[in-house]
């Protein structure tokens, strides 16, 4: 157990809809990162938040957005869903401001299916 | 851009065998390298993190090595067990970036 939780575990949406995925980091972890993992692939970095501000972004369009809250929870929002958005979405938390330079603790993921 | 490659993509071994998983990366300017385990449809479990100043890191039956200059890491699993069956992913952060680059993983099956 990493102490990182995600909800919901599974979700089915239709193309064009909007979705919000939630993550609760370990207490005291100021950094949260979100990754998208398509079937058979490694996770791809979406963005990272540090103390409620975006602190890095991967090659994802603006319809992927996020929020981080003071209570160590965070959200990933995806607008105008496309079929290719079907994937496992993982959040990861770490203590400091350089998430890639320290152990990241991953949640169990949310599996999103877009029909 | 950092690229991470893992070979083989899949591996099947009988129980009790020792095995080696390989990971290579193109940009050697890394702070560390991390090995993860992923069970089907689940999240990632961190197994080992090797700092760039280290050459090896051990945890139980697992031993990870890092050769930064050649851009390679190996994960050695001793005396494999059916419970080791999973996908193993390696990941590196890039200097100046805040994200991890992952390989596509090696899917390991240990046959009882």
């Amino acid at each position: 157990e990493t102490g990182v939780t995600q909800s919901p575990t599974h979700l089915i949406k239709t193309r064009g809809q909007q979705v919000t995925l939630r993550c609760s980091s370990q207490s005291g972890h100021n950094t949260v990162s979100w990754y998208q993992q398509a079937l058979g692939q490694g996770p791809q970095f979406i963005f990272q938040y540090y103390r409620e501000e975006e602190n890095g972004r991967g090659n994802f369009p603006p319809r992927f957005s996020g929020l981080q809250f003071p209570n160590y929870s965070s959200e990933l929002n995806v607008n105008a869903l496309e079929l290719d958005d079907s994937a496992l979405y993982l959040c990861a938390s770490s203590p400091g401001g350089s998430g890639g330079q320290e152990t990241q603790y991953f949640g169990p993921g949310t599996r999103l299916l877009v029909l | 851009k950092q690229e991470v490659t893992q070979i083989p993509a899949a591996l099947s071994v009988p129980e009790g065998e020792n095995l080696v998983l390989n990971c290579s990366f193109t940009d050697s300017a890394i702070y560390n390298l991390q090995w993860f385990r992923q069970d089907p449809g689940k999240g990632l479990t961190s197994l080992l993190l090797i700092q760039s100043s280290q050459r090896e890191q051990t945890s139980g039956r697992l031993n990870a090595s890092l050769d930064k200059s050649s851009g390679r890491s190996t994960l050695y699993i001793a005396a494999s067990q059916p419970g080791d069956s999973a996908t193993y992913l390696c990941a590196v952060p890039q200097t100046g970036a805040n994200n991890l680059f992952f390989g596509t993983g090696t899917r390991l099956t240990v046959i009882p």
Side-chain angles (χ1 to χ4, degrees), chain B residues 77-106:
Chain B
I77 302 177
S80 59
Q81 303 171 357
D84 295 331
S85 298
T87 296
Y88 291 81
L89 295 148
C90 67
V92 295
Q94 187 162 12
T95 304
N98 296 312
N99 55 288
L100 291 176
F101 289 100
F102 283 86
T104 53
T106 295

PDB file of all heavy atoms in Angstrom, chain B residues 77-106:
ATOM      1  N   ILE B  77      16.470 -10.958 -10.910  1.00  0.00           N
ATOM      2  CA  ILE B  77      15.555 -11.603  -9.972  1.00  0.00           C
ATOM      3  C   ILE B  77      16.078 -13.009  -9.713  1.00  0.00           C
ATOM      4  O   ILE B  77      16.206 -13.813 -10.648  1.00  0.00           O
ATOM      5  CB  ILE B  77      14.116 -11.662 -10.516  1.00  0.00           C
ATOM      6  CG1 ILE B  77      13.605 -10.247 -10.834  1.00  0.00           C
ATOM      7  CG2 ILE B  77      13.192 -12.350  -9.504  1.00  0.00           C
ATOM      8  CD1 ILE B  77      12.203 -10.211 -11.439  1.00  0.00           C
ATOM      9  N   ALA B  78      16.394 -13.288  -8.475  1.00  0.00           N
ATOM     10  CA  ALA B  78      16.916 -14.601  -8.110  1.00  0.00           C
ATOM     11  C   ALA B  78      15.782 -15.531  -7.710  1.00  0.00           C
ATOM     12  O   ALA B  78      14.784 -15.112  -7.116  1.00  0.00           O
ATOM     13  CB  ALA B  78      17.899 -14.456  -6.959  1.00  0.00           C
ATOM     14  N   ALA B  79      15.965 -16.795  -8.046  1.00  0.00           N
ATOM     15  CA  ALA B  79      15.043 -17.854  -7.620  1.00  0.00           C
ATOM     16  C   ALA B  79      13.591 -17.445  -7.839  1.00  0.00           C
ATOM     17  O   ALA B  79      12.803 -17.313  -6.900  1.00  0.00           O
ATOM     18  CB  ALA B  79      15.288 -18.204  -6.154  1.00  0.00           C
ATOM     19  N   SER B  80      13.239 -17.237  -9.081  1.00  0.00           N
ATOM     20  CA  SER B  80      11.917 -16.692  -9.414  1.00  0.00           C
ATOM     21  C   SER B  80      10.781 -17.571  -8.879  1.00  0.00           C
ATOM     22  O   SER B  80      10.911 -18.802  -8.763  1.00  0.00           O
ATOM     23  CB  SER B  80      11.787 -16.536 -10.929  1.00  0.00           C
ATOM     24  OG  SER B  80      11.964 -17.774 -11.576  1.00  0.00           O
ATOM     25  N   GLN B  81       9.672 -16.895  -8.556  1.00  0.00           N
ATOM     26  CA  GLN B  81       8.490 -17.551  -8.012  1.00  0.00           C
ATOM     27  C   GLN B  81       7.267 -17.151  -8.836  1.00  0.00           C
ATOM     28  O   GLN B  81       7.256 -16.072  -9.442  1.00  0.00           O
ATOM     29  CB  GLN B  81       8.281 -17.119  -6.552  1.00  0.00           C
ATOM     30  CG  GLN B  81       9.452 -17.399  -5.644  1.00  0.00           C
ATOM     31  CD  GLN B  81       9.277 -16.762  -4.270  1.00  0.00           C
ATOM     32  OE1 GLN B  81       8.292 -16.064  -4.002  1.00  0.00           O
ATOM     33  NE2 GLN B  81      10.249 -16.999  -3.399  1.00  0.00           N
ATOM     34  N   PRO B  82       6.225 -17.970  -8.849  1.00  0.00           N
ATOM     35  CA  PRO B  82       5.018 -17.602  -9.604  1.00  0.00           C
ATOM     36  C   PRO B  82       4.465 -16.226  -9.219  1.00  0.00           C
ATOM     37  O   PRO B  82       3.925 -15.501 -10.055  1.00  0.00           O
ATOM     38  CB  PRO B  82       4.039 -18.727  -9.267  1.00  0.00           C
ATOM     39  CG  PRO B  82       4.923 -19.902  -9.000  1.00  0.00           C
ATOM     40  CD  PRO B  82       6.141 -19.346  -8.319  1.00  0.00           C
ATOM     41  N   GLY B  83       4.629 -15.854  -7.951  1.00  0.00           N
ATOM     42  CA  GLY B  83       4.168 -14.544  -7.494  1.00  0.00           C
ATOM     43  C   GLY B  83       4.943 -13.380  -8.081  1.00  0.00           C
ATOM     44  O   GLY B  83       4.517 -12.222  -7.947  1.00  0.00           O
ATOM     45  N   ASP B  84       6.063 -13.675  -8.749  1.00  0.00           N
ATOM     46  CA  ASP B  84       6.824 -12.612  -9.415  1.00  0.00           C
ATOM     47  C   ASP B  84       6.216 -12.248 -10.768  1.00  0.00           C
ATOM     48  O   ASP B  84       6.647 -11.282 -11.402  1.00  0.00           O
ATOM     49  CB  ASP B  84       8.283 -13.057  -9.629  1.00  0.00           C
ATOM     50  CG  ASP B  84       9.034 -13.255  -8.325  1.00  0.00           C
ATOM     51  OD1 ASP B  84       8.707 -12.580  -7.332  1.00  0.00           O
ATOM     52  OD2 ASP B  84       9.952 -14.111  -8.310  1.00  0.00           O
ATOM     53  N   SER B  85       5.246 -13.030 -11.228  1.00  0.00           N
ATOM     54  CA  SER B  85       4.620 -12.772 -12.522  1.00  0.00           C
ATOM     55  C   SER B  85       3.944 -11.406 -12.507  1.00  0.00           C
ATOM     56  O   SER B  85       3.067 -11.133 -11.684  1.00  0.00           O
ATOM     57  CB  SER B  85       3.593 -13.864 -12.845  1.00  0.00           C
ATOM     58  OG  SER B  85       4.228 -15.118 -12.945  1.00  0.00           O
ATOM     59  N   ALA B  86       4.360 -10.551 -13.408  1.00  0.00           N
ATOM     60  CA  ALA B  86       3.874  -9.165 -13.481  1.00  0.00           C
ATOM     61  C   ALA B  86       4.603  -8.491 -14.630  1.00  0.00           C
ATOM     62  O   ALA B  86       5.462  -9.089 -15.276  1.00  0.00           O
ATOM     63  CB  ALA B  86       4.155  -8.418 -12.178  1.00  0.00           C
ATOM     64  N   THR B  87       4.267  -7.222 -14.863  1.00  0.00           N
ATOM     65  CA  THR B  87       5.035  -6.411 -15.803  1.00  0.00           C
ATOM     66  C   THR B  87       5.999  -5.537 -15.022  1.00  0.00           C
ATOM     67  O   THR B  87       5.621  -4.932 -14.017  1.00  0.00           O
ATOM     68  CB  THR B  87       4.104  -5.539 -16.667  1.00  0.00           C
ATOM     69  OG1 THR B  87       3.293  -6.387 -17.479  1.00  0.00           O
ATOM     70  CG2 THR B  87       4.910  -4.606 -17.572  1.00  0.00           C
ATOM     71  N   TYR B  88       7.231  -5.514 -15.474  1.00  0.00           N
ATOM     72  CA  TYR B  88       8.270  -4.737 -14.805  1.00  0.00           C
ATOM     73  C   TYR B  88       8.645  -3.553 -15.704  1.00  0.00           C
ATOM     74  O   TYR B  88       8.961  -3.720 -16.882  1.00  0.00           O
ATOM     75  CB  TYR B  88       9.487  -5.619 -14.522  1.00  0.00           C
ATOM     76  CG  TYR B  88       9.187  -6.648 -13.461  1.00  0.00           C
ATOM     77  CD1 TYR B  88       8.520  -7.826 -13.787  1.00  0.00           C
ATOM     78  CD2 TYR B  88       9.523  -6.429 -12.133  1.00  0.00           C
ATOM     79  CE1 TYR B  88       8.199  -8.753 -12.813  1.00  0.00           C
ATOM     80  CE2 TYR B  88       9.212  -7.366 -11.150  1.00  0.00           C
ATOM     81  CZ  TYR B  88       8.549  -8.518 -11.495  1.00  0.00           C
ATOM     82  OH  TYR B  88       8.223  -9.432 -10.525  1.00  0.00           O
ATOM     83  N   LEU B  89       8.583  -2.374 -15.107  1.00  0.00           N
ATOM     84  CA  LEU B  89       8.838  -1.140 -15.840  1.00  0.00           C
ATOM     85  C   LEU B  89      10.030  -0.413 -15.232  1.00  0.00           C
ATOM     86  O   LEU B  89      10.175  -0.374 -14.008  1.00  0.00           O
ATOM     87  CB  LEU B  89       7.623  -0.209 -15.757  1.00  0.00           C
ATOM     88  CG  LEU B  89       6.337  -0.692 -16.425  1.00  0.00           C
ATOM     89  CD1 LEU B  89       5.125  -0.190 -15.693  1.00  0.00           C
ATOM     90  CD2 LEU B  89       6.294  -0.230 -17.871  1.00  0.00           C
ATOM     91  N   CYS B  90      10.866   0.134 -16.086  1.00  0.00           N
ATOM     92  CA  CYS B  90      11.909   1.023 -15.582  1.00  0.00           C
ATOM     93  C   CYS B  90      11.562   2.442 -15.990  1.00  0.00           C
ATOM     94  O   CYS B  90      10.854   2.665 -16.986  1.00  0.00           O
ATOM     95  CB  CYS B  90      13.295   0.629 -16.087  1.00  0.00           C
ATOM     96  SG  CYS B  90      13.555   0.844 -17.843  1.00  0.00           S
ATOM     97  N   ALA B  91      12.038   3.397 -15.216  1.00  0.00           N
ATOM     98  CA  ALA B  91      11.709   4.806 -15.470  1.00  0.00           C
ATOM     99  C   ALA B  91      12.865   5.685 -15.033  1.00  0.00           C
ATOM    100  O   ALA B  91      13.527   5.414 -14.027  1.00  0.00           O
ATOM    101  CB  ALA B  91      10.436   5.203 -14.722  1.00  0.00           C
ATOM    102  N   VAL B  92      13.081   6.744 -15.795  1.00  0.00           N
ATOM    103  CA  VAL B  92      14.115   7.709 -15.453  1.00  0.00           C
ATOM    104  C   VAL B  92      13.536   9.110 -15.521  1.00  0.00           C
ATOM    105  O   VAL B  92      12.723   9.408 -16.395  1.00  0.00           O
ATOM    106  CB  VAL B  92      15.336   7.618 -16.406  1.00  0.00           C
ATOM    107  CG1 VAL B  92      16.028   6.279 -16.255  1.00  0.00           C
ATOM    108  CG2 VAL B  92      14.944   7.849 -17.856  1.00  0.00           C
ATOM    109  N   PRO B  93      13.971   9.993 -14.622  1.00  0.00           N
ATOM    110  CA  PRO B  93      13.629  11.402 -14.763  1.00  0.00           C
ATOM    111  C   PRO B  93      14.688  12.053 -15.633  1.00  0.00           C
ATOM    112  O   PRO B  93      15.810  11.566 -15.728  1.00  0.00           O
ATOM    113  CB  PRO B  93      13.709  11.917 -13.328  1.00  0.00           C
ATOM    114  CG  PRO B  93      14.748  11.063 -12.697  1.00  0.00           C
ATOM    115  CD  PRO B  93      14.728   9.731 -13.402  1.00  0.00           C
ATOM    116  N   GLN B  94      14.347  13.122 -16.250  1.00  0.00           N
ATOM    117  CA  GLN B  94      15.330  13.862 -17.045  1.00  0.00           C
ATOM    118  C   GLN B  94      15.769  15.105 -16.285  1.00  0.00           C
ATOM    119  O   GLN B  94      14.940  15.767 -15.655  1.00  0.00           O
ATOM    120  CB  GLN B  94      14.759  14.263 -18.397  1.00  0.00           C
ATOM    121  CG  GLN B  94      15.797  14.871 -19.319  1.00  0.00           C
ATOM    122  CD  GLN B  94      15.361  14.860 -20.772  1.00  0.00           C
ATOM    123  OE1 GLN B  94      14.200  14.606 -21.055  1.00  0.00           O
ATOM    124  NE2 GLN B  94      16.275  15.122 -21.679  1.00  0.00           N
ATOM    125  N   THR B  95      17.040  15.407 -16.347  1.00  0.00           N
ATOM    126  CA  THR B  95      17.573  16.575 -15.666  1.00  0.00           C
ATOM    127  C   THR B  95      16.828  17.817 -16.125  1.00  0.00           C
ATOM    128  O   THR B  95      16.653  18.046 -17.319  1.00  0.00           O
ATOM    129  CB  THR B  95      19.068  16.740 -15.985  1.00  0.00           C
ATOM    130  OG1 THR B  95      19.746  15.546 -15.641  1.00  0.00           O
ATOM    131  CG2 THR B  95      19.653  17.903 -15.196  1.00  0.00           C
ATOM    132  N   GLY B  96      16.365  18.570 -15.142  1.00  0.00           N
ATOM    133  CA  GLY B  96      15.648  19.794 -15.460  1.00  0.00           C
ATOM    134  C   GLY B  96      14.178  19.581 -15.719  1.00  0.00           C
ATOM    135  O   GLY B  96      13.434  20.542 -15.903  1.00  0.00           O
ATOM    136  N   ALA B  97      13.754  18.335 -15.720  1.00  0.00           N
ATOM    137  CA  ALA B  97      12.332  18.046 -15.928  1.00  0.00           C
ATOM    138  C   ALA B  97      11.769  17.458 -14.657  1.00  0.00           C
ATOM    139  O   ALA B  97      12.492  17.051 -13.760  1.00  0.00           O
ATOM    140  CB  ALA B  97      12.139  17.090 -17.097  1.00  0.00           C
ATOM    141  N   ASN B  98      10.473  17.437 -14.572  1.00  0.00           N
ATOM    142  CA  ASN B  98       9.823  16.966 -13.356  1.00  0.00           C
ATOM    143  C   ASN B  98       9.022  15.699 -13.587  1.00  0.00           C
ATOM    144  O   ASN B  98       8.170  15.354 -12.787  1.00  0.00           O
ATOM    145  CB  ASN B  98       8.896  18.057 -12.825  1.00  0.00           C
ATOM    146  CG  ASN B  98       9.666  19.283 -12.403  1.00  0.00           C
ATOM    147  OD1 ASN B  98      10.646  19.189 -11.699  1.00  0.00           O
ATOM    148  ND2 ASN B  98       9.214  20.429 -12.858  1.00  0.00           N
ATOM    149  N   ASN B  99       9.264  15.037 -14.693  1.00  0.00           N
ATOM    150  CA  ASN B  99       8.481  13.862 -15.010  1.00  0.00           C
ATOM    151  C   ASN B  99       9.372  12.642 -15.169  1.00  0.00           C
ATOM    152  O   ASN B  99      10.581  12.747 -15.329  1.00  0.00           O
ATOM    153  CB  ASN B  99       7.722  14.083 -16.316  1.00  0.00           C
ATOM    154  CG  ASN B  99       8.660  14.482 -17.446  1.00  0.00           C
ATOM    155  OD1 ASN B  99       9.173  15.593 -17.481  1.00  0.00           O
ATOM    156  ND2 ASN B  99       8.895  13.548 -18.359  1.00  0.00           N
ATOM    157  N   LEU B 100       8.724  11.485 -15.122  1.00  0.00           N
ATOM    158  CA  LEU B 100       9.404  10.219 -15.368  1.00  0.00           C
ATOM    159  C   LEU B 100       9.134   9.774 -16.794  1.00  0.00           C
ATOM    160  O   LEU B 100       8.009   9.888 -17.290  1.00  0.00           O
ATOM    161  CB  LEU B 100       8.891   9.136 -14.410  1.00  0.00           C
ATOM    162  CG  LEU B 100       9.256   9.278 -12.932  1.00  0.00           C
ATOM    163  CD1 LEU B 100       8.590   8.172 -12.123  1.00  0.00           C
ATOM    164  CD2 LEU B 100      10.753   9.252 -12.729  1.00  0.00           C
ATOM    165  N   PHE B 101      10.181   9.270 -17.443  1.00  0.00           N
ATOM    166  CA  PHE B 101      10.032   8.604 -18.729  1.00  0.00           C
ATOM    167  C   PHE B 101      10.045   7.108 -18.469  1.00  0.00           C
ATOM    168  O   PHE B 101      10.975   6.591 -17.846  1.00  0.00           O
ATOM    169  CB  PHE B 101      11.186   8.954 -19.665  1.00  0.00           C
ATOM    170  CG  PHE B 101      11.165  10.364 -20.164  1.00  0.00           C
ATOM    171  CD1 PHE B 101      11.973  11.326 -19.596  1.00  0.00           C
ATOM    172  CD2 PHE B 101      10.346  10.732 -21.212  1.00  0.00           C
ATOM    173  CE1 PHE B 101      11.971  12.630 -20.053  1.00  0.00           C
ATOM    174  CE2 PHE B 101      10.331  12.032 -21.679  1.00  0.00           C
ATOM    175  CZ  PHE B 101      11.146  12.987 -21.092  1.00  0.00           C
ATOM    176  N   PHE B 102       9.040   6.406 -18.969  1.00  0.00           N
ATOM    177  CA  PHE B 102       8.921   4.977 -18.744  1.00  0.00           C
ATOM    178  C   PHE B 102       9.246   4.192 -20.005  1.00  0.00           C
ATOM    179  O   PHE B 102       8.985   4.652 -21.135  1.00  0.00           O
ATOM    180  CB  PHE B 102       7.482   4.616 -18.345  1.00  0.00           C
ATOM    181  CG  PHE B 102       7.134   4.942 -16.931  1.00  0.00           C
ATOM    182  CD1 PHE B 102       6.678   6.201 -16.580  1.00  0.00           C
ATOM    183  CD2 PHE B 102       7.250   3.983 -15.936  1.00  0.00           C
ATOM    184  CE1 PHE B 102       6.349   6.510 -15.272  1.00  0.00           C
ATOM    185  CE2 PHE B 102       6.914   4.271 -14.630  1.00  0.00           C
ATOM    186  CZ  PHE B 102       6.464   5.537 -14.293  1.00  0.00           C
ATOM    187  N   GLY B 103       9.774   2.982 -19.796  1.00  0.00           N
ATOM    188  CA  GLY B 103       9.823   2.027 -20.870  1.00  0.00           C
ATOM    189  C   GLY B 103       8.464   1.370 -21.039  1.00  0.00           C
ATOM    190  O   GLY B 103       7.528   1.642 -20.269  1.00  0.00           O
ATOM    191  N   THR B 104       8.350   0.499 -22.032  1.00  0.00           N
ATOM    192  CA  THR B 104       7.066  -0.163 -22.276  1.00  0.00           C
ATOM    193  C   THR B 104       6.909  -1.423 -21.435  1.00  0.00           C
ATOM    194  O   THR B 104       5.851  -2.027 -21.424  1.00  0.00           O
ATOM    195  CB  THR B 104       6.894  -0.528 -23.751  1.00  0.00           C
ATOM    196  OG1 THR B 104       8.026  -1.276 -24.176  1.00  0.00           O
ATOM    197  CG2 THR B 104       6.760   0.720 -24.614  1.00  0.00           C
ATOM    198  N   GLY B 105       7.970  -1.783 -20.714  1.00  0.00           N
ATOM    199  CA  GLY B 105       7.843  -2.876 -19.768  1.00  0.00           C
ATOM    200  C   GLY B 105       8.220  -4.240 -20.313  1.00  0.00           C
ATOM    201  O   GLY B 105       8.256  -4.469 -21.517  1.00  0.00           O
ATOM    202  N   THR B 106       8.538  -5.132 -19.391  1.00  0.00           N
ATOM    203  CA  THR B 106       8.740  -6.549 -19.694  1.00  0.00           C
ATOM    204  C   THR B 106       7.696  -7.332 -18.928  1.00  0.00           C
ATOM    205  O   THR B 106       7.612  -7.221 -17.701  1.00  0.00           O
ATOM    206  CB  THR B 106      10.143  -7.026 -19.287  1.00  0.00           C
ATOM    207  OG1 THR B 106      11.121  -6.357 -20.082  1.00  0.00           O
ATOM    208  CG2 THR B 106      10.272  -8.533 -19.472  1.00  0.00           C
TER     209      THR B 106
END
